[in-house]
Amino acid sequence: MCRNIKTLFNFEPPATEDEIHASALQFVRKLSGFNKPSQANEAAFNLAVTEVSAAARRLLTSLHTTAPARDREVEAEKAKERSRLRFG
């Protein structure tokens, strides 16, 4: 659905508030179809981002795994390689 939303679970260090907010913003943008809402829709848009951020934070803190935490740099390199193979 949203290729720009990154996985935030099971990383060391854990996801930051900025990463959670950016993910929520991208999700709300996708759902609403707005990159930047009009003044009439700005309050509803911002409330949705706040609520999605809170839900994402609750989800991330409630999940558990026995898998070792992933390294952000290693995962970024893997993503670059997948992109290179896909798009040349």
Side-chain angles (χ1 to χ4, degrees), residues 22-43:
S23 181
L25 178 60
Q26 188 67 26
F27 182 72
V28 171
R29 283 177 174 166
K30 187 69 168 188
L31 285 178
S32 68
F34 301 140
N35 189 33
K36 183 175 182 346
S38 66
Q39 287 181 342
N41 293 318
E42 190 171 14

Side-chain angles (χ1 to χ4, degrees), residues 1 8 11 14 16 18 21 24 33 36 48 50 60 68-69 71-72 76 78-79 87:
M1 180 179 132
L8 299 178
F11 280 99
T16 65
D18 287 342
H21 181 268
K36 183 175 182 346
T50 300
L60 292 172
D71 183 284
R72 293 175 192 279
K78 287 180 187 177
F87 299 111

Side-chain angles (χ1 to χ4, degrees), residues 2-70:
C2 295
R3 281 185 240 146
N4 293 334
I5 295 178
K6 308 279 188 269
T7 300
L8 299 178
F9 176 61
N10 197 27
F11 280 99
E12 191 56 47
T16 65
E17 287 300 314
D18 287 342
E19 289 173 315
I20 293 170
H21 181 268
S23 181
L25 178 60
Q26 188 67 26
F27 182 72
V28 171
R29 283 177 174 166
K30 187 69 168 188
L31 285 178
S32 68
F34 301 140
N35 189 33
K36 183 175 182 346
S38 66
Q39 287 181 342
N41 293 318
E42 190 171 14
F45 185 90
N46 290 338
L47 178 60
V49 172
T50 300
E51 290 176 346
V52 170
S53 293
R57 191 176 313 102
R58 283 192 305 272
L59 174 65
L60 292 172
T61 58
S62 68
L63 295 174
H64 300 283
T65 184
T66 57
R70 294 178 281 178

